[in-house]
Each structure stands twice: as C-alpha cells, then as structure tokens.
Amino acid sequence: MDMRPALLASLVLFAAGTLPCAAQEVTLTLHHFLSPQSNTHKTFLAPWAKRVEEQSGGRIAIEIYPSMTLGGKPPQLFDQARTGIADIIWTLPGYTAGRFPIVEVFELPFIAGSAEATSQAVMAFHDDHLVEEFDGVKPLILHAHAPGVIHTRSTPVATLEDLAGLKLRAPTRQINAALGALGAVPVGMPVPEVPGAISRGVVEGALVPYEVTLALRLPELTRHHTESGLYTAVFLLAMNRNVYEGLPDDLRQVIDDNSGLVAARQAGAIWDTNEIEARGIVAEGGGNIIVLDAAEQERWRQATQPVIDAWIAAMDEAGLDGQALLDEAKGLVEHYQE
C-alpha cells in the first residue's frame, strides 16, 4: 500500500498548523439530574457552558447530559466526576449524607440569606475549610438556592403544631434533622422523585425552592406553600481534577474565569431572580402562600437549635472548632447580604 499520499497530507496539515493536537480542541461532558426544561439547566448550566465555549474561541465544547442520561443516580454524581465518568457534574453534596459534613454549616436552620449572598459565602468559605472535603475533584462553583419553601398537598403549615407527624421530603441530612426537631417526619430523596412520591401519598409535601417547583409540576400537586426561612441547600459544580489539570494553560484559565466567587455570585443572582418569578407563577395559579411572622419563626428557631448544637458537637469531636466555623459562615452570609 502506497503511504505517500497520506504522509504528504499529514505534512501539509502540520505546516498549516491544523493538526488536531495543535488545535488543542477539547470536548467536556457535563452531567446533572434535572430536566432540560428546568430553570437551572436553561438559565444557569447551559449559559455557563456557552460562555466557556465562546471564551475559548471554540476550542472547548461542552456536551450537557441532563436527567442523569449518562447513567447512575443523583447521589453518584460526585464520584462520577472524581472517577472521570463525567468531566463536569452539578449536584448537591448533601445527597450523600454525612460525606461532606463541614459544608453542611450552610444548611443548618436559619443560616441562609438570599441565594446571591449565601452562594458567595459558601464560595468564600471554601478555600479555608472545604478543600480537603472535596478532594478528588476541582470545585468550580459552590452556590445555594434561595431560602426553601414547604409545599404541602392538603395541610396548610402556619404554626409549629401543623408540622406534627407530617411526612415531608427534604434534600439533605441537616434539613431532615431540622424537620424532625420541628415534629415532622422527614423523608430523604433526590428531587426528581418528589412528584411521584407526592402523587402516591408517600409524602404530604416537600421542601424545595419555588424555582424548582415549575419543572416538577409541583404547583399542580400541592396547594399550600409556607415561607419560613428555615433552610437552603448547597450545590456543587465540579470538574474531574485530572481533566482540569490536563488542559492547556490558556484553556484552564477560561475555566478559572468562569469559576470562583464572581461565578458564585452570578449563580446566586440567577436563582434569586428565578425564585421571584416562580413565586409569582405559584401565586397567580391560586397557591396559598403562608409567610411565618417573626414570633412564629422564633418558635421554629428555638425548636431547631438542638440541630445546630449537634453539628457543633460533631465538628468538635472531629477536631475542629464547630462554633468558630458556624460564626464564620454566619458572618460571611451577613457580609454578602449587605
């Protein structure tokens, strides 16, 4: 077989600087658990991927796989990034209960502020306290949603007593603990399972931000929506560390330019905006929105204080200063809330 034509073609490509290795083109996969119709996909993840592609001059392509289409369950996403099944993932650290205990400080009762403030607080907290906790991946953005809401099918929740014995879905360990302290029966599950669980009567309702309810069609399944300020959940956009470190310097800089504190602020602002819009849709649809007054909220604060105390004790037992970590987290939220 005459190899000269192929060799000549290769030499021409090399001379023109168009060999794939010279172009440094990279295709990255981004895996997450929400649908492509969700606000998170449409207003956060897809635009983020597009910015990276554009700022790389087209040398980075990001293929997004929503709804767990690369396989597995939402709690497995972190390890999918760690092991390289996916290059980038978006998930909740709290989906793997107890694995990331330090970041849970932001999920303790009544710690969160707006999504924008809390997201910046978590990201700022990362460098000093969370690097080892997320060992094995490259955290790109840590962020939080706006204070979550209690959505119930037939039982309005206006007082502490209304929660007694109520089966409610919650996303993470600390939020489950808070519900238990309030007298409810917490049921942990990833958010895609919520509509089916409510429809079948497995739970009476769920704790999620308004923003998520639209993609899940929860306004059709629940009638009452209680705003308590009780909690938020922390999210993680993370990249396989070897893939990140293997990028050329200029492409790694593109990733860095779309990561960190500024990106966390942008993510939080998106969630706050989506939350306001979704709340309006729920209200216009006839949802019964209940806002706890200051006195009732204080009752809930007192009832959930043991959850905070238990987290502090667990940190102390692990050789950390739990109270100092809590004070720093609260101070950061307050700082960025200003």
Side-chain angles (χ1 to χ4, degrees):
M1 182 176 180
D2 189 353
M3 300 297 292
R4 286 175 295 177
L7 178 59
L8 179 60
S10 295
L11 289 171
V12 170
L13 285 171
F14 181 81
T18 56
L19 279 176
C21 61
Q24 301 282 1
E25 294 179 354
V26 177
T27 298
L28 303 174
T29 57
L30 195 168
H31 199 201
H32 71 88
F33 59 85
L34 289 177
S35 77
Q37 288 75 41
S38 67
N39 277 331
T40 296
H41 180 98
K42 293 187 298 184
T43 65
F44 171 45
L45 294 174
W48 181 87
K50 184 177 180 180
R51 282 197 305 274
V52 170
E53 291 175 337
E54 290 176 346
Q55 291 175 24
S56 73
R59 294 168 60 205
I60 295 177
I62 299 181
E63 298 176 349
I64 304 181
Y65 293 86
S67 304
M68 299 305 298
T69 47
L70 287 181
K73 301 291 186 181
Q76 297 171 321
L77 280 165
F78 181 88
D79 283 325
Q80 289 187 355
R82 185 180 61 81
T83 60
I85 293 174
D87 298 313
I88 303 170
I89 57 88
W90 179 82
T91 190
L92 282 79
Y95 273 178
T96 48
R99 185 172 179 180
F100 308 101
I102 302 174
V103 77
E104 289 180 340
V105 66
F106 292 96
E107 297 177 344
L108 293 172
F110 299 104
I111 300 300
S114 68
E116 185 173 350
T118 309
S119 296
Q120 291 176 92
V122 181
M123 199 72 244
F125 191 83
H126 168 268
D127 289 349
D128 290 333
H129 305 295
L130 300 176
V131 173
E132 291 185 8
E133 186 147 280
F134 294 120
D135 186 38
V137 302
K138 169 64 177 177
L140 304 179
I141 304 173
L142 284 153
H143 70 101
H145 63 62
V149 179
I150 302 173
H151 308 271
T152 51
R153 183 173 53 178
S154 57
T155 305
V157 175
T159 69
L160 189 59
E161 289 73 21
D162 295 332
L163 286 166
L166 210 58
K167 288 186 177 181
L168 296 171
R169 174 268 179 186
T172 67
R173 181 173 68 154
Q174 295 302 333
I175 303 165
N176 277 324
L179 280 179
L182 292 168
V185 179
V187 180
M189 68 179 71
V191 76
E193 299 176 18
V194 169
I198 294 176
S199 297
R200 297 191 306 272
V202 175
V203 293
E204 163 63 12
L207 275 66
V208 294
Y210 285 115
E211 186 273 340
V212 174
T213 63
L214 303 184
L216 299 176
R217 304 174 71 94
L218 285 192
E220 301 173 18
L221 298 171
T222 58
R223 170 78 179 92
H224 309 284
H225 315 275
T226 302
E227 301 172 3
S228 65
L230 176 64
Y231 83 101
T232 191
V234 174
F235 298 94
L236 171 67
L237 184 70
M239 189 170 182
N240 176 276
R241 184 168 289 279
N242 289 335
V243 172
Y244 169 79
E245 293 177 350
L247 291 173
D249 291 347
D250 60 337
L251 294 187
R252 192 163 58 246
Q253 186 62 52
V254 172
I255 298 295
D256 290 345
D257 290 344
N258 289 278
S259 305
L261 192 61
V262 172
R265 180 185 61 77
Q266 293 170 340
I270 290 169
W271 275 77
D272 282 332
T273 298
N274 289 340
E275 188 75 357
I276 293 168
E277 294 176 354
R279 184 186 191 274
I281 292 171
V282 170
E284 290 172 6
N288 176 31
I289 295 179
I290 302 165
V291 181
L292 297 189
D293 61 28
E296 184 63 28
Q297 190 179 70
E298 181 58 29
R299 295 181 67 209
W300 291 37
R301 288 178 182 273
Q302 293 180 12
T304 56
Q305 182 60 43
V307 176
I308 297 174
D309 295 340
W311 181 86
I312 292 172
M315 292 297 101
D316 290 345
E317 187 175 345
L320 303 171
D321 188 335
Q323 186 63 55
L325 290 171
L326 176 63
D327 291 344
E328 182 174 345
K330 291 170 68 174
L332 286 167
V333 172
E334 292 169 2
H335 168 71
Y336 288 110
Q337 192 70 54
E338 295 175 355

